[in-house]
Amino acid sequence: MELAALLISFVFLLLLGTSVAAAMILSAFLSLLLNKMPLTVMGELMLSGINSYTLLAVPFFIFAAVIMNRGGLTDRLLDVAAAFVGHFRGGTAQIDVLASVFFAGMSGSATADAASQGRILIPHMIKEGYDPGFAAGVNSSSATIGAIIPPSITMVIYGGVTNISVGALFLGGVVPGLLIGLALMVMVAILATRRGYPRRAYMPWKERWKPIVVALPALLAPVIILGGIFSGVTTPTEAGVVACLYGLILGFFVYGELKLKDIGPLLVETVEATAVPVYIIAASSVFGFALTMSGFGMLVQEWLMGFITGPTSFLLVVVTIFMLVGLAVEGVAAMLIFVPLFMPMVQTFHVDELQFAIIVIITLLLGTISPPVGLQLFIAADIAKISAFKVDIWPFIWIMLLVVIAIVFLPGLVTWLPGVIM
C-alpha cells in the first residue's frame, strides 16, 4: 500500500504540473506518514544528501560557465570553429557543434552551452536561410556535449552520490563525447546537403592562425582545469575554483569584457542556476529513502532478473528504461532516483561501473532534448521563437542513440582512456 501511495502521488503531482523536486518531497512525506516514521527524517536525509565535498564543485563549475559566457571566451571559440568548419555545407550549424566540443572542456554545463551559443548562432542560422526547427535542433543536441566531455557537472553529481571517482568519469566521457560531436557533424552534413543549406566562404590556412592565437588563452582552459585533476594537483572541487579564477583573469585582463559591476549579476545567476540541481539532489535523497522503505528496489530487480540474461541485455534494458524515464522526468532527478536501484545489478552482471555511468548519463541527456520536458530543447526553441514540438530534433537523437548502442557493445570506448591514464 505504501509503495502504491508513493508512486501514485508522485505521478499525480507531476501531472498537475508540480516540479519534479516538489513532487518527490510531497510524495515521500505521504509515504513516511503511512509508515509512521518521524518526519524529522526528511530534514536529516535532505541535508545529508547535499553534504558532500565533491558536490561543492557544482556551484564553482556553474560560476565558471557563467564567467566564460560573459567574459568573451565563447565568442573566441566560435571564431576558431568558424575558421575550420564554416566552409562545410551547413557551415554555421557545423560551427555550433564544434564550438560545443571546445566549450565543453571549460564549462561542464549543457544548459550554459545551449543558452550562450544559441543566442548567437540560432538567429544567424535563421537569417542565413536555415529552418528555425533545424537551427534549434542542432543547438540543443550539440549542447549535450557540454555534460559529456569533461569537466561535467552531471558527472560531478553522479560521482558525489555513487562514490565513483569523478576523475575516472571525466576520462570515460572524452571518447564518447568526441564521437557524439563527430556523429552530429555527419548528420548536419547529410541534412544540410539534402536541404541546400549554405556554407561560409573558405578561409585560407594562413588566415586561420589569427583566431587561434586570439582564442589560445581560452583554448588552454581545459588543459589547466583537467591537467590539475589528472595530475593530482587539484581535486575536482579545487579545479572548479581554478576554472573560476582563470575565467575571471581572462574576462578582466585578457579580453577586457568583464567589469567589476558585472560580478554581482554573475553571482546572482550562479546562485539561481545552482539552486535547481541542489534542490533536486536534496529531494531525491528523501524520495530514494521512501522507495527503499517501500521495497521498490527489490521489486524492480526481481522483475528485471526474470528476462535479463547477461550484461549486454541488461545495458540495453537500461538504455530503454532511461530513455523512457528521461521523456518525463528531469535528468538529474531521474539519475538520482534510478541509479541506486540498478547498482546491485551492475555488480551482479559484472558490468563496468564507468561504462554503466556514461551510458546512463548520455541516455538521460537525450531526455533533455526530447519533448515534453527537455530543458535544452525549450531553451533553443525559445531563442528560435518556435514551439518545442516543432524543433527538428529526432535525427540528432537517433544518431546520438547509435553512439550509446556502440558503447553498450564496445565498453573500451569508455574504459580505454581511464585505463591508460589512471
Side-chain angles (χ1 to χ4, degrees):
M1 177 181 175
E2 290 84 359
L3 177 58
L6 176 67
L7 297 179
I8 291 172
S9 59
F10 177 66
V11 174
F12 178 70
L13 288 166
L14 289 179
L15 293 175
L16 287 179
T18 308
S19 69
V20 174
M24 287 193 289
I25 292 172
L26 293 172
S27 55
F29 174 79
L30 175 61
S31 177
L32 293 178
L33 281 179
L34 292 175
N35 281 290
K36 298 180 180 180
M37 295 192 66
L39 297 181
T40 53
V41 171
M42 292 187 68
E44 295 171 359
L45 288 168
M46 294 176 74
L47 285 174
S48 64
I50 60 176
N51 185 22
S52 166
Y53 175 74
T54 301
L55 292 178
L56 274 177
V58 174
F60 288 120
F61 278 119
I62 290 176
F63 188 37
V66 173
I67 292 169
M68 291 168 184
N69 279 335
R70 300 286 187 88
L73 281 74
T74 302
D75 294 337
R76 273 70 184 186
L77 295 177
L78 289 174
D79 291 339
V80 174
F84 285 92
V85 299
H87 59 282
F88 292 170
R89 178 66 67 180
T92 306
Q94 299 283 14
I95 292 169
D96 199 332
V97 179
L98 184 57
S100 292
V101 173
F102 293 153
F103 191 66
M106 297 185 297
S107 74
S109 171
T111 304
D113 190 325
S116 60
Q117 293 184 192
R119 291 192 183 100
I120 299 170
L121 292 175
I122 290 178
H124 266 294
M125 280 189 267
I126 294 173
K127 186 177 179 180
E128 292 174 8
Y130 292 80
D131 180 77
F134 174 85
V138 171
N139 177 257
S140 56
S141 58
S142 66
T144 61
I145 300 173
I148 303 171
I149 292 178
S152 164
I153 293 171
T154 304
M155 291 179 185
V156 170
I157 295 173
Y158 190 102
V161 299
T162 61
N163 293 320
I164 295 176
S165 166
V166 174
L169 287 170
F170 281 1
L171 286 171
V174 172
V175 174
L178 294 175
L179 285 176
I180 286 177
L182 179 61
L184 291 176
M185 293 182 78
V186 169
M187 182 56 67
V188 166
I190 292 171
L191 295 177
T193 301
R194 287 179 180 176
R195 302 175 186 182
Y197 291 145
R199 66 178 82 206
R200 296 190 176 191
Y202 179 82
M203 181 180 291
W205 279 97
K206 62 181 180 180
E207 296 180 15
R208 298 184 188 187
W209 295 108
K210 183 178 179 180
I212 293 177
V213 171
V214 173
L216 187 60
L219 293 170
L220 286 176
V223 178
I224 295 171
I225 296 167
L226 300 177
I229 296 174
F230 300 137
S231 66
V233 174
T234 63
T235 64
T237 301
E238 293 164 347
V241 178
V242 171
C244 294
L245 291 174
Y246 188 68
L248 288 171
I249 291 170
L250 295 187
F252 276 110
F253 304 111
V254 178
Y255 298 131
E257 296 196 17
L258 284 181
K259 310 296 179 187
L260 283 176
K261 65 179 182 180
D262 296 323
I263 296 298
L266 292 178
L267 289 171
V268 170
E269 186 176 345
T270 301
V271 170
E272 291 175 346
T274 303
V276 175
V278 172
Y279 179 33
I280 292 173
I281 293 169
S284 66
S285 298
V286 66
F287 187 74
F289 176 78
L291 282 175
T292 302
M293 290 292 296
S294 63
F296 180 68
M298 291 299 297
L299 287 175
V300 171
Q301 291 173 35
E302 290 175 5
W303 174 65
L304 292 176
M305 292 293 287
F307 58 88
I308 292 177
T309 58
T312 301
S313 60
F314 167 66
L315 289 174
L316 291 174
V317 169
V318 166
V319 171
T320 303
I321 291 175
F322 277 94
M323 273 288 291
L324 295 174
V325 169
L327 295 175
V329 181
E330 194 276 334
V332 172
M335 181 175 70
L336 296 175
I337 293 170
F338 289 95
V339 166
L341 300 179
F342 283 99
M343 287 307 293
M345 298 184 69
V346 170
Q347 298 167 358
T348 298
F349 289 108
H350 305 290
V351 174
D352 187 274
E353 289 186 344
L354 280 180
Q355 181 192 19
F356 175 76
I358 299 302
I359 287 172
V360 167
I361 289 169
I362 298 176
T363 305
L364 286 176
L365 283 169
L366 295 179
T368 68
I369 57 175
S370 305
V373 299
L375 178 58
Q376 276 80 253
L377 183 72
F378 277 89
I379 291 173
D382 182 65
I383 296 171
K385 296 181 172 57
I386 59 173
S387 165
F389 293 93
K390 292 184 178 180
V391 175
D392 191 6
I393 193 63
W394 290 106
F396 302 107
I397 289 177
W398 294 127
I399 197 74
M400 292 175 66
L401 188 57
L402 283 178
V403 176
V404 175
I405 300 301
I407 296 172
V408 169
F409 288 96
L410 300 170
L413 295 174
V414 171
T415 60
W416 172 74
L417 193 58
V420 170
I421 295 180
M422 297 188 74

